[in-house]
Amino acid sequence: TESHDDAVSEGSDHSQAQLRSRIIRSVTQIGKFLPGRVIRWHFDRALSGVDLRKPSMFMENFEAATLFADISGFTELAERLEKDERLSTASKVLSTEVGLALEPLVEIVFKWGGDVIKFAGDAIFAIFTVQMHGDLATAAIAASVAAKQITNFLLFNARTTVTLKSHCGVGAGTLVGYHIGGVLNRWEYVIAGQSLDQAIKAEKEASKGDVIISPSVYQFTERICEAVPTANKFYRLTAITGEGLGGRMHQRTHKMWDELKKFDIDTLKSLFASMASYIPRPVVQAVDSGQSEWLADVRVCATLFVKLKGLKPDDVASVHNAVRIVQKRMYTFVGASLCRVIADDKGLGCLWAFTWN
């Protein structure tokens, strides 16, 4: 009887270990779609004993340099693929090309201690925080060096003869980070503020291959770069004359995943559910079904962009409530999915997709 009980206990322990390993793998996979800052926030809440099943709005103020990188050429590539390929084949080829273009850009951001906050189609919003780099000057230098390396990267598609090339804007200053929404447990992390506004305005002045930096960034980077002023009193970065940073964010992210070993199975389940609430449901379903990579998915859909104006960046309650009003209205329609919320110099924007297949 004792040997039988021991065998049952060992079998139960083995099953628990397998379950724990599977949940940790799912949390790690879902984390690939989230900013490091959001992952860290969830981990800290779990470590402090907060009930992750009861999320709430949250606002944080911090200083950072912001990098806005946009890739030119995807529209032309998509149009050529649409002519040359069947719809299903064209979407897979385009998905592959997007991945090939964005992956090295993300690696550059990580190398220089940055954190990718949002993907907006073929564009990247990344931040380089004072918390990571020690001061705003170092953060601005890291963002500028990363931007220059990104614009040096080219991707040529032999099938369509289209060359993809980036251009970037960099700003530095204060930021506000919001955890907002929550209707049907769908949350968004959004940044807004001085640093982001500068990066967006700088990017608008950039042509293919350009890095445009704000005056705030220039005052920090003047000693390690060559730049010429633009007509709107920004600066076109022409050369980096000194480097010597990097590697911090990548190492820190890997160390962060080691903390999953500290959590019990119930906490891990709550952690997965809490993190997944920041990601569009089709992506969560793909991860939950065991897909290790996000594949191209052809769907017939309509898209809607909702612009919210007149909101004050430091009034988190108003921002939160405005997004919730939109969510409540949109979720009355079958097939509605919130793709992302992005703030810019003109307000807050919500992108929605409506599918029926």
Side-chain angles (χ1 to χ4, degrees), residues 63 118 188 209 334:
E63 287 187 307
K118 292 279 184 180
E188 277 280 314
V334 175

Side-chain angles (χ1 to χ4, degrees), residues 19 26 50 106 143 149-150 154 162 164 168 174 195 207 211 219 222 256 262 270 306 332:
L19 176 60
S26 295
V50 173
V106 171
Q149 290 187 358
I150 285 172
L154 290 171
V162 174
L164 303 178
C168 301
T174 57
S195 180
S207 301
V211 175
Q219 72 174 351
E222 187 176 5
M256 193 158 56
K262 301 177 182 178
S270 297
V306 180
T332 62

Side-chain angles (χ1 to χ4, degrees), residues 35-294:
R37 193 171 190 84
V38 173
I39 298 169
R40 179 72 270 165
W41 184 74
H42 281 86
F43 279 24
D44 286 345
R45 283 165 59 85
L47 288 168
S48 63
V50 173
D51 188 349
L52 299 178
R53 295 169 299 178
K54 298 179 180 179
S56 61
M57 68 174 183
F58 178 76
M59 183 184 79
E60 57 179 349
N61 294 281
F62 58 98
E63 287 187 307
T66 302
L67 165 60
F68 178 18
D70 193 13
I71 305 175
S72 301
F74 271 120
T75 301
E76 182 184 1
L77 177 61
E79 290 174 349
R80 292 196 186 183
L81 286 172
E82 188 177 6
K83 292 178 182 178
D84 299 340
E85 307 276 352
R86 290 182 293 108
L87 180 60
S88 59
T89 306
S91 66
K92 290 178 181 178
V93 173
L94 183 60
S95 175
T96 299
E97 294 297 326
V98 171
L100 289 172
L102 292 180
E103 185 174 358
L105 272 57
V106 171
E107 288 295 328
I108 291 171
V109 169
F110 280 2
K111 173 186 174 183
W112 292 99
D115 187 8
V116 175
I117 296 296
K118 292 279 184 180
F119 291 100
D122 52 9
I124 292 176
F125 289 92
I127 60 172
F128 299 72
T129 65
V130 169
Q131 180 183 6
M132 173 61 65
H133 291 280
D135 56 59
L136 192 55
T138 307
I141 291 171
S144 300
V145 174
K148 193 61 180 173
Q149 290 187 358
I150 285 172
T151 56
N152 288 338
F153 180 80
L154 290 171
L155 185 66
F156 177 73
N157 182 272
R159 187 182 310 192
T160 60
T161 68
V162 174
T163 299
L164 303 178
K165 179 81 172 171
S166 303
H167 57 279
C168 301
V170 184
T174 57
L175 284 174
V176 180
Y178 308 101
H179 295 260
I180 52 176
V183 175
L184 298 184
N185 199 33
R186 179 66 174 89
W187 291 83
E188 277 280 314
Y189 180 73
V190 184
I191 59 169
Q194 182 186 72
S195 180
L196 177 66
D197 291 348
Q198 291 175 19
I200 291 173
K201 290 175 181 177
E203 185 273 338
K204 289 178 181 178
E205 291 197 31
S207 301
K208 284 185 181 181
D210 280 349
V211 175
I212 304 295
I213 59 177
S214 71
S216 297
V217 174
Y218 180 70
Q219 72 174 351
F220 294 130
T221 60
E222 187 176 5
R223 61 185 174 84
I224 61 100
C225 75
E226 295 177 2
V228 294
T230 68
N232 292 322
K233 298 183 180 179
F234 280 65
Y235 293 85
R236 181 171 287 101
L237 189 63
T238 57
I240 301 291
T241 57
E243 298 183 6
L245 302 168
R248 302 180 192 178
M249 189 63 181
H250 215 105
Q251 294 170 2
R252 185 174 177 178
T253 303
H254 285 300
K255 290 180 180 178
M256 193 158 56
W257 293 124
D258 292 338
E259 296 179 26
L260 290 173
K261 300 173 184 176
K262 301 177 182 178
F263 303 128
D264 58 33
I265 288 178
D266 288 340
T267 302
L268 287 169
K269 288 180 178 179
S270 297
L271 193 60
F272 176 83
S274 182
M275 290 168 59
S277 67
Y278 286 72
I279 301 170
R281 285 185 174 81
V283 181
V284 177
Q285 291 166 359
V287 173
D288 218 14
S289 65
Q291 294 185 26
S292 60
E293 295 182 3
W294 181 238

